[in-house]
Every structure is written in C-alpha cells, then in structure tokens.
Amino acid sequence: MQSDIVVSVQNLKKDYGKGSVLNDISFDLHKGKTLSIIGPSGSGKSTILRCLCQLESISGGSVIVDGDYLAKDGVYSSKDQLRKIGLKIGMVFQNFNLFPHYSVLQNVAEPQIRVQKIKRAQAEENAKKWLARMNLADKANFYPQQLSGGQQQRVAIARALALNPQVLVFDEPTSALDPELTGEILKVIKDLAAQKMTMIVVTHEMAFARDTSDHVIFIDGGVIVEQGDPQEVFSNPREERTKLFLRRFSNS
C-alpha cells in the first residue's frame, strides 16, 4: 500500500439480517486530502463512517488505517490493535454528542484524560488551545445548552481535534443546524482542508463537496455508483443515476 494512503477500504460489505446495506465499497484516502461522500438519504453513506469508527461491525472486506488492519477479509484484528486504530480516527457527529452536564472545557478535556490518559492540567491546556482555534475561547465555562447549534458543533470539532487523530470524519455535520449556521461549520471544515487535515465528509452540501473536496464518491443503494475528481463528477457525470441526483440538487 502506498505510504501516503491513510485509509484503504477494500470490498467493504455490511449486512443487516438478509439485506445488504453496503456492497463492495472500495476507496483510498490519501494523507492531507478531503474525501466527500454524497448520495440520497439511506444510501449507506453514514454506515461507511460507522464501520471505520467501529460503531458498526463489517460483514466482509478489509479496512486499513495508517498501515494497520482494522479487519482483513472480514476478520477483525486483536482488541489491542482495534483500540490503537480507534485512536487514529476522530468522528464528528451530526447531533454534536456533547455531554450536557460538562462545561465546554470539560467536553474537550475529558476524552483526552480518559482515552489518552493525559494529566488534567495538560488536557485542559490543550482544550483551551483548540477552543481558541474554533473562536470559542470565551465559551470555555459555558454549558452546551447555552450555545447555538453552530457553537456546539465547533466544540465537537475541537474535541475531536484535541485527540490528535490521523483522520477526521464528519457525519453530515450541518444537517442538525439552521441554514444560517451551516456556513460557519462549512468554513471550519474548509479551513481544515486548507491546512491539509485528512478528512472524510458525508454531506448533503453539494457546493462544499464540489469546491472543497479532492475526491468525491456518489453512493446509492449501498454501492459506489461513481467517484472521481469533484469538478469532473459534478460537471460531467458519466452515470445516469449520478446525473439524476445532481439534477435534483441543481434544481433545488
């Protein structure tokens, strides 16, 4: 595998009961690149991320993260290996997933303490640094319910970045936000892309996928219909299903 490939997914399959949610999904994510996954609701986009983050078990295929096998031919690696890989991926959820009884500072510091066994003083110092990067330095002692949705999502991004992941994945990060707050989160992700953070973004924001991504995957019915350079896929899609999907987007 090429040394600059951070995530390699090969023939990934996910079954629920007798039905297949993902079938033969394959792609590579290169270091410093942004991959966007687009497609209709229920197509399996978020399931890919959940498989990468060990929130769902895979039914077949192989997943390699930073040179280490998460699973090979459907067989998972050891628990120690899985824990090691888990530390390499940071996930930002669509519904923020902040602890309501923790302050903003605690929300960012506690995972470092519990997962990485970092001393509290160091974790809080690191948390303050990332909150400042997200323009939330003045919100450190607030609680999530005192923040707007956009601010809560920026806290969630700071929390993920504070763990220093090799790759950051976003599961529809703007879908729970009012339209006027969507822009601030997309700007944060665009800034991270400009800084060459390695990212996978599941999104319904087509303009973002077209203009910010290095690679785009269109998935429907649990299979990759089309993938490639975003400008090419959006301006000159090859597959009829892609054309229909993007036509609906451009007409909305």
Side-chain angles (χ1 to χ4, degrees):
M1 188 174 68
Q2 295 180 34
S3 59
D4 70 334
I5 295 177
V6 182
V7 176
S8 182
V9 175
Q10 303 164 5
N11 312 115
L12 176 65
K13 186 175 177 61
K14 172 63 181 176
D15 298 330
Y16 282 122
K18 295 182 179 179
S20 178
V21 180
L22 298 174
N23 192 19
D24 200 26
I25 300 293
S26 297
F27 63 85
D28 291 330
L29 173 66
H30 294 258
K31 183 176 178 63
K33 302 298 184 181
T34 298
L35 164 68
S36 286
I37 304 177
I38 63 172
S41 297
S43 59
K45 306 184 301 296
S46 295
T47 304
I48 295 173
L49 299 189
R50 293 179 67 82
C51 288
L52 291 178
C53 294
Q54 304 178 49
L55 299 173
E56 297 275 3
S57 59
I58 72 170
S59 304
S62 301
V63 177
I64 308 170
V65 179
D66 195 30
D68 294 322
Y69 273 98
L70 174 73
K72 186 175 184 179
D73 298 327
V75 179
Y76 276 93
S77 297
S78 67
K79 287 185 178 179
D80 285 346
Q81 178 91 322
L82 295 180
R83 183 181 181 280
K84 175 185 174 184
I85 291 171
L87 295 173
K88 296 181 178 183
I89 303 179
M91 186 167 187
V92 178
F93 299 87
Q94 55 185 293
N95 292 315
F96 322 136
N97 281 25
L98 300 178
F99 294 108
H101 58 292
Y102 282 175
S103 69
V104 165
L105 182 66
Q106 288 174 309
N107 264 286
V108 181
E110 285 296 330
Q112 299 174 66
I113 297 166
R114 297 188 183 191
V115 176
Q116 297 182 323
K117 312 303 181 187
I118 292 174
K119 291 183 178 179
R120 182 169 297 278
Q122 182 184 348
E124 290 186 351
E125 193 63 33
N126 195 35
K128 290 176 182 177
K129 178 189 78 173
W130 282 109
L131 288 172
R133 287 276 297 273
M134 295 293 128
N135 295 316
L136 292 169
D138 60 334
K139 306 295 184 185
N141 295 319
F142 284 51
Y143 285 82
Q145 62 268 27
Q146 297 175 289
L147 305 180
S148 70
Q151 289 170 331
Q152 290 185 61
Q153 192 62 295
R154 280 187 279 147
V155 173
I157 296 170
R159 176 181 60 187
L161 288 168
L163 293 169
N164 194 31
Q166 297 296 308
V167 57
L168 193 57
V169 302
F170 293 85
D171 184 11
E172 300 186 18
T174 61
S175 66
L177 300 178
D178 294 333
E180 62 266 27
L181 298 176
T182 294
E184 71 178 74
I185 298 305
L186 293 180
K187 182 181 184 303
V188 169
I189 302 173
K190 288 177 183 178
D191 289 346
L192 291 171
Q195 295 160 23
K196 301 301 180 183
M197 181 73 198
T198 308
M199 297 186 290
I200 304 176
V201 185
V202 166
T203 183
H204 288 295
E205 300 293 334
M206 296 298 112
F208 166 85
R210 180 191 62 209
D211 298 336
T212 305
S213 309
D214 298 290
H215 193 79
V216 66
I217 289 174
F218 171 58
I219 184 172
D220 188 26
V223 299
I224 293 177
V225 177
E226 189 163 350
Q227 63 176 312
D229 176 83
Q231 297 298 330
E232 183 68 21
V233 170
F234 277 86
S235 63
N236 190 30
R238 298 186 306 272
E239 302 297 328
E240 199 58 41
R241 182 66 188 91
T242 315
K243 293 176 184 178
L244 178 61
F245 177 79
L246 293 176
R247 195 176 303 132
R248 288 176 178 169
F249 149 68
S250 61
N251 291 337
S252 62

